[in-house]
């Protein structure tokens, strides 16, 4: 049957345009928004999801079609939509009346999907209003909120390609879904108590179904039990944070002695009882992304974040969380994984939850892709990601125009805190945090995520980029992929990540400051305190921290007293045995000291490393801030930072030598160690010692930057590497550099730690394509 032709309008007075919109435009209410706008402007045509994004055909008066429509669309986007590009071209006029939302067309292309988004205010109102049909329903959502990335199995984003495909809509939901004027129009996770997912409470040990739901689960938490709760990207382990017995049991179950636990609070009032968030931190807590935000403590809750001055907290981001917290107010909400394993997404996965909790509050909506909570802190009013995952992934990163290529690249990151990045059609998608791949369970998660990204974005890599390290699992995996394999130095990739994020142009060098614990160097040695003159095409090692022995190799990264002895030996030589009796040295004991010093001096199992992370370990132990054996990475540095006096300003001496034969200057912290030891022997408070150390490192960075500007003319500095998760160091370094007139690039949307390696690897790979290297 032919469509009706709009009466009374001659073809000559009308014009038509075909628009293709590229960005986060599927699953966010974009098509209904276009529909409403077209009707308001009196335009005819249609809108449809396509593999390349969203296609729009409009007909009407020329002034509206050629300019007014696009301008109005950009001003009135749905809350979650992001338009990266809008292409328009003339189209034939059909003169057919009305505007419609067409079914999705199966075409190739690259379309983005929204991250998972916290429950919107409209849905919250429904959940809390008696008489609404979704009153107290734990899976309420609409086009402006709810699950996205964790439920999608394929694109274009339609219900049959999500984990909601097994839930046929009831007549009421179908009516909302099909009504273009309803905020649930084409909301793919749409559900209600009549047709949607349902909660089940089970005994964790036997699997037996228990009576009740949210209220009974909350009662178990109040009674001191540990509860596993199925969220968007996996299970949380939940308990009462003020019940020391419950928290201690949870720590034993997870084999997590001191590593911080995250909290979830009902609202900002609950947060204010133990922390004082700044305005920027409050905005993050209340944002639709709902990350865990690291806040300064005003009250220490025992066993939650021992030895630290900050605590991680988030607000509820699903209806289930809101319902659970109505009476509880505050809970521990930590990921439900055994130590070093990925977050559990299914009750029976890997032996299940039996050994971790007493009861399980689960539901029957499957999780397509697991994802941890994101973790963010605020430094100088801007975010610093500790972990980027739920709420931010898979948001796209645009690539500078001169780096863009028609080829498809994938980068596999490193070994620790891994991520995968995929480049296609001018954008990079970086995966959620995947953990440390030296654990086989995380490596399976890596393989699962890689396959998911390639399938989701219809990508066939033409080259793969990895770290330089020959023994990383990612390096070996890439060698078997059957495409050209590029390998790039660890710290160089670190530096390139913030350059790509900030749209830095090719062939303009910056001073890249990459400070971390370890990275495989071009010369086969361990690097970790690097100052690189770099652009996308290559780098020059301008300066480095003076290499110091790692007594015991990898063991030195877990036992900071070893690094304390190595730095004392470098600072004092044979006179180390004549040092005043520091408590830290007495803890080591003469026998262990003699054995380790012998190893260092003989070069036995003591490789050299220019590692800034190991410098932090050494001074933290000497100051008495660090335990003898670390439970988690950067524990010594975090404890030392927590002790720093925020008001004190002062520095220790640091020696920066002339450039050596290879053109690289060496930075010696021997003078700093000697001055620090004198301070400790004289009874200087540790809070002052810590403050002086942090300021000394910040000023050293500025001194090297000033030398690079004098000698090489660069006035731009990129800060990268896990050491810059240190709030005091990053804040002081940024302020000092800015005061000296430097332009500073540092990560804002990604973590400075090894999570950003894959992004930097993509940048280098694209430059190789640009210059004909592959």
């Amino acid at each position: 049957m032919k469509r009706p032709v709009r009466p009374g309008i001659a073809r000559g007075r009308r014009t038509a345009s075909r628009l293709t919109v590229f960005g986060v435009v599927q699953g966010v209410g974009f098509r209904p928004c276009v529909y409403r706008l077209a009707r308001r402007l009196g335009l005819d045509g249609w809108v449809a999801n396509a593999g390349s994004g969203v296609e729009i055909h409009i007909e009407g008066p020329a002034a509206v079609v050629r300019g007014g429509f696009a301008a109005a669309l950009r001003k009135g986007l749905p809350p979650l939509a992001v338009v990266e590009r809008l292409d328009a071209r003339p189209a034939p006029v059909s003169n057919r009346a009305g505007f419609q939302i067409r079914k999705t067309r199966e075409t190739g292309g690259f379309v983005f999907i929204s991250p998972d988004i916290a429950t919107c205010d409209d849905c919250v109102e429904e959940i809390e209003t008696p008489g609404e049909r979704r009153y107290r329903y734990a899976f309420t959502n609409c086009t402006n909120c709810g699950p996205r990335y964790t439920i999608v199995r394929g694109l274009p984003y339609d219900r049959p390609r999500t984990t909601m495909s097994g839930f046929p809509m009831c007549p009421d939901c179908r009516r909302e879904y099909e009504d273009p004027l309803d905020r649930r129009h084409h909301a793919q996770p749409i559900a209600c108590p009549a047709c949607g997912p349902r909660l089940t409470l089970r005994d964790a040990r036997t699997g037996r179904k228990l009576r009740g739901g949210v209220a009974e689960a909350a009662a178990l938490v109040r009674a001191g039990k540990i509860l596993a709760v199925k969220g968007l990207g996996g299970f949380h382990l939940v308990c009462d944070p003020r019940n020391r017995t419950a928290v201690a049991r949870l720590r034993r179950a997870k084999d997590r002695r001191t590593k911080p636990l995250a909290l979830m609070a009902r609202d900002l009032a609950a947060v204010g009882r133990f922390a004082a968030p700044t305005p920027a931190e409050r905005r993050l807590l209340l944002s639709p992304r709902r990350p865990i935000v690291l806040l300064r403590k005003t009250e220490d809750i025992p066993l939650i974040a021992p030895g630290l001055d900050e605590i991680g907290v988030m607000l509820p981001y699903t209806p289930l969380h809101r319902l659970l917290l109505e009476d509880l107010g505050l809970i521990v909400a930590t990921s439900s994984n055994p130590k070093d394993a990925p977050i559990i997404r299914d009750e029976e996965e890997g032996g299940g939850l039996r050994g971790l909790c007493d009861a399980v509050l689960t539901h029957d909506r499957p999780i397509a892709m697991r994802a941890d909570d994101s973790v963010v802190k605020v430094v100088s009013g801007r975010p610093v990601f500790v972990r980027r995952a739920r709420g931010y992934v898979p948001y796209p990163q645009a690539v500078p125009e001169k780096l863009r290529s028609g080829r498809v690249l994938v980068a596999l990151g490193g070994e620790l805190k891994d991520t995968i990045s995929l480049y296609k059609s001018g954008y990079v998608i970086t995966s959620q945090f995947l953990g440390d791949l030296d654990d086989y369970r995380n490596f399976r998660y890596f393989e699962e995520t890689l396959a998911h990204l390639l399938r989701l974005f219809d990508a066939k890599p033409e080259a793969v980029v990895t770290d330089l390290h020959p023994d990383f699992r990612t390096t070996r995996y890439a060698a078997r992929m059957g495409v050209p394999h590029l390998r790039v130095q660890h710290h160089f990739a670190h530096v390139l990540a913030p350059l790509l994020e900030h749209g830095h142009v090719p062939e303009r060098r910056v001073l890249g400051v990459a400070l971390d614990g370890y990275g495989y160097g071009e010369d086969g040695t361990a690097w970790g305190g690097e100052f690189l003159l770099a652009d996308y095409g290559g780098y020059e090692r301008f300066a480095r921290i003076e290499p110091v022995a790692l007594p015991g190799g990898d063991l030195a990264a877990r036992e900071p007293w070893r690094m304390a002895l190595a730095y004392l030996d470098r600072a004092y030589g044979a006179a180390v045995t004549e040092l005043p009796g520091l408590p830290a040295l007495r803890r080591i004991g003469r026998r262990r000291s003699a054995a380790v010093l012998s190893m260092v001096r003989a070069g036995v199992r003591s490789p050299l490393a220019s590692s800034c992370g190991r410098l932090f370990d050494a001074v933290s132990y000497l100051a008495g801030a660090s335990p003898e054996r670390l439970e988690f990475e950067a524990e010594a540095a975090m404890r030392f930072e927590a002790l720093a006096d925020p008001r004190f300003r002062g520095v220790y001496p640091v020696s920066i030598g002339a450039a050596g034969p290879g053109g690289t200057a060496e930075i010696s912290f021997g003078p700093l160690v000697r001055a620090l030891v004198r301070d400790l022997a004289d009874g200087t408070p540790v809070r002052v010692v810590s403050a002086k150390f942090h300021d000394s490192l910040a000023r050293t960075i500025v001194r090297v930057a000033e030398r690079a500007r004098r000698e090489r003319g660069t006035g731009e500095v990129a800060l990268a590497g896990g050491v810059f998760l240190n709030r005091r160091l990053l804040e002081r370094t940024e302020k000092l550099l800015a005061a000296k007139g430097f332009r500073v690039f540092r990560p804002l949307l990604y973590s400075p730690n090894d999570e950003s390696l894959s992004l930097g690897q993509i940048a280098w790979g694209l430059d190789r394509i640009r210059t004909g290297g592959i």
Side-chain angles (χ1 to χ4, degrees):
M1 181 176 176
K2 291 184 177 181
R3 296 283 309 278
V5 175
R6 180 178 285 268
I9 299 180
R11 289 180 182 272
R13 296 206 304 268
R14 291 166 59 83
T15 188
S17 181
R18 184 70 54 84
L19 296 87
T20 302
V21 187
F22 196 68
V24 182
V25 290
Q26 291 196 21
V28 294
F30 187 79
R31 288 179 296 169
C33 172
V34 171
Y35 175 89
R36 291 189 292 269
L37 176 62
R39 288 190 56 169
R40 179 166 61 84
L41 296 177
L43 299 175
D44 301 317
W46 50 263
V47 59
N49 278 346
S52 57
V54 168
E55 287 193 353
I56 306 168
H57 178 88
I58 50 174
E59 297 185 11
V64 180
V65 168
R66 292 173 181 165
F69 176 82
L73 180 61
R74 288 186 181 275
K75 289 181 181 177
L77 290 174
L80 304 184
V82 179
V83 173
E84 292 285 347
R85 192 176 75 243
L86 191 156
D87 297 332
R89 62 187 187 279
V93 176
S94 68
N95 272 328
R96 295 185 177 179
F99 197 92
Q100 66 175 173
I101 297 176
R102 288 186 173 179
K103 290 184 178 180
T104 296
R105 295 194 300 109
E106 298 282 353
T107 61
F110 188 30
V111 68
F112 304 129
I113 184 71
S114 167
D116 302 288
I117 296 298
T119 311
C120 70
D121 291 343
D122 289 332
C123 285
V124 169
E125 184 177 356
E126 287 181 326
I127 296 163
E128 295 178 349
T129 303
E132 287 281 353
R133 69 188 195 91
R134 292 185 176 88
Y135 176 58
R136 299 187 65 77
Y137 182 55
F139 304 94
T140 302
N141 66 85
C142 69
T143 53
N144 297 327
C145 69
R148 297 294 188 274
Y149 177 64
T150 54
I151 65 167
V152 67
R153 290 182 169 131
L155 291 177
Y157 177 68
D158 284 317
R159 194 176 180 95
R161 296 178 181 85
T162 74
T163 60
M164 287 298 295
S165 60
F167 297 90
M169 283 179 260
C170 68
D172 286 334
C173 284
R174 173 63 65 183
R175 175 181 49 77
E176 294 170 326
Y177 183 86
E178 293 179 350
D179 182 359
L181 300 180
D182 194 288
R183 83 172 195 279
R184 291 193 169 91
H185 179 65
H186 284 195
Q188 306 307 335
I190 188 173
C192 75
C195 65
R198 299 186 180 186
L199 291 171
T200 303
L201 184 62
R202 296 187 181 277
D203 182 282
R205 186 176 60 84
T206 65
R208 180 174 58 87
K209 185 176 179 179
L210 303 176
R211 286 186 179 181
V214 174
E216 289 73 17
L220 289 172
V221 174
R222 280 195 300 271
K225 302 298 184 183
I226 299 172
L227 178 70
V229 179
K230 189 175 183 179
L232 291 179
F235 282 85
H236 281 127
L237 293 179
V238 167
C239 72
D240 181 352
R242 298 190 185 277
N243 185 322
R244 294 194 187 194
T245 302
V247 176
R249 281 187 61 223
L250 177 59
R251 285 196 172 279
R252 288 195 298 272
K254 284 177 63 76
D255 189 19
R256 191 169 182 166
R257 298 188 316 276
T258 59
K259 191 174 182 181
L261 299 170
L263 301 179
M264 183 180 286
R266 178 174 51 217
D267 49 31
L268 285 178
V271 174
R273 296 188 180 99
F274 57 86
T278 65
E281 290 165 342
R282 285 196 294 271
R283 286 192 295 271
L284 273 172
L285 285 167
L286 292 168
S287 74
R289 314 292 181 184
R290 293 291 165 95
I292 296 170
V293 183
L294 299 182
L295 307 174
R296 295 286 192 192
K297 295 177 182 176
T298 56
E299 177 203 337
D300 184 50
I301 303 176
L303 301 181
I304 300 301
L308 303 179
D309 63 341
E310 57 189 16
I311 191 165
V313 63
M314 58 187 152
L315 297 183
Y317 55 85
T318 71
L320 177 55
H321 294 141
R322 299 187 72 91
L323 294 171
L324 190 63
L325 281 159
E326 276 184 349
D327 295 325
L328 295 175
L330 184 68
I331 56 175
V332 170
T334 186
S335 54
S336 61
N337 53 309
K339 188 174 184 179
D340 299 328
I343 188 171
I344 293 174
R345 66 174 175 179
D346 182 85
E347 294 97 301
E348 302 305 319
E349 180 185 4
L353 295 158
R354 290 196 261 311
L356 296 173
C357 60
D358 301 303
V360 181
L361 184 60
T362 186
H363 57 76
D364 52 354
R365 184 181 67 202
I367 295 171
M369 177 48 59
R370 70 189 87 211
D372 284 284
D373 296 311
S374 295
V375 183
V376 189
K377 64 173 69 175
V378 174
V379 178
S380 300
R382 301 191 296 170
V384 179
F385 278 83
V386 178
R387 183 171 71 202
R388 181 179 178 271
R390 191 264 310 151
Y392 295 89
V393 173
Y395 193 80
Q397 170 65 53
V399 166
E401 188 66 36
K402 290 185 178 180
L403 279 183
R404 294 190 175 192
S405 167
R407 300 171 74 174
V408 177
L409 290 182
V410 66
L412 305 186
E415 184 89 343
L416 305 179
K417 296 179 173 60
D418 196 52
T419 63
I420 298 164
S421 284
L422 171 67
Y423 169 82
K424 183 179 176 181
S425 302
Y427 293 88
V428 183
I429 300 292
T430 298
S431 76
Q432 68 275 28
F433 162 85
L434 301 175
D436 298 347
L437 303 190
D438 52 1
D439 185 289
Y440 76 95
R441 296 164 295 187
N442 285 328
F443 191 74
R444 286 209 308 262
Y445 182 22
F446 160 85
E447 293 179 307
E448 170 188 306
T449 304
L450 176 60
H452 183 71
L453 289 175
L454 297 181
R455 180 177 65 253
L456 193 62
F457 297 108
D458 190 26
K460 296 179 180 178
E462 298 169 70
V464 58
V465 191
T466 68
D467 194 83
L468 197 63
H469 199 300
D471 296 328
F472 279 179
R473 289 190 176 200
T474 47
T475 308
R476 297 198 298 266
Y477 185 93
R480 301 192 299 270
M481 288 180 64
V483 295
H485 178 196
L486 309 176
R487 294 162 59 187
V488 58
Q489 201 278 324
H490 185 97
H491 300 95
F492 180 35
H494 261 313
V495 169
L496 295 186
L499 298 188
L500 184 68
E501 178 187 341
H502 289 276
H504 191 71
V505 297
E507 299 176 353
R508 192 173 81 217
R509 285 200 154 189
V510 303
L511 177 70
V513 184
L515 306 180
D516 63 5
Y518 169 79
Y520 189 81
E522 295 273 7
D523 56 4
T525 65
W527 293 10
E530 310 307 314
F531 296 77
L532 309 178
L533 287 171
D535 59 20
Y536 294 115
Y539 71 92
E540 173 188 343
R541 203 178 186 191
F542 184 74
R544 67 172 182 176
I545 291 177
E546 180 185 27
V548 174
L550 303 176
D554 289 345
L555 198 58
R558 297 191 293 273
E559 298 181 351
W561 61 270
R562 294 172 179 268
M563 289 311 305
L565 286 173
Y567 264 96
L568 289 173
D569 183 66
R570 179 57 59 96
Y572 290 96
V576 68
T577 57
E578 301 171 14
L579 287 176
L582 294 176
L585 292 179
R586 289 199 297 270
R587 281 195 290 161
I588 298 171
R590 290 185 179 181
R591 180 176 297 179
R592 285 197 301 176
S593 295
V596 167
L597 288 171
S598 295
M599 288 172 58
V600 169
R601 291 163 183 169
V604 176
R605 294 185 59 229
S606 299
L608 296 176
S610 58
S611 170
C612 190
R614 302 294 77 79
L615 170 63
F616 266 94
D617 291 348
V619 295
S620 178
Y621 187 83
L622 288 173
S626 169
E628 287 197 12
R629 188 171 180 87
L630 304 178
E631 181 191 353
F632 57 93
E633 187 181 25
E635 181 180 6
M638 291 167 65
R639 288 174 174 270
F640 193 46
E641 179 194 358
L643 296 173
D645 187 332
R647 296 171 300 277
F648 186 85
R649 296 288 181 267
V651 294
Y652 290 119
V654 176
S655 172
I656 304 176
T664 303
E666 286 203 344
I667 303 164
S668 173
F669 286 90
L672 178 147
V673 171
R674 290 191 290 271
L676 183 146
V677 168
R678 283 196 299 271
D679 266 358
L680 292 171
D682 291 343
T684 302
V686 174
R687 65 180 185 276
V688 171
V689 172
S690 176
K692 289 175 70 174
F693 172 80
H694 284 86
D695 288 1
S696 301
L697 183 53
R699 289 188 180 276
T700 300
I701 293 167
V702 175
R703 288 170 61 196
V704 176
E706 289 182 305
R707 178 185 286 191
R709 183 164 58 185
R710 286 195 307 271
E711 297 179 3
R712 300 302 181 86
T714 180
E716 298 176 319
V717 180
L719 305 178
V723 166
F724 284 110
L725 289 173
N726 184 304
R727 190 192 304 262
R728 170 138 185 161
L729 176 64
L730 178 57
E731 186 172 58
R732 293 291 293 150
T733 302
E734 279 194 287
K735 286 182 178 179
L736 290 172
L737 285 169
K740 295 292 185 178
F742 288 97
R743 184 183 182 192
V744 181
F745 301 103
R746 62 98 156 164
L748 296 175
L749 302 175
Y750 300 86
S751 176
N753 67 24
D754 282 7
E755 288 184 39
S756 66
L757 285 177
S758 65
L759 184 67
Q761 290 167 354
I762 288 287
W764 186 71
L766 289 173
D767 194 78
R768 291 292 303 275
I769 292 174
R770 182 181 71 88
T771 56
I774 56 171

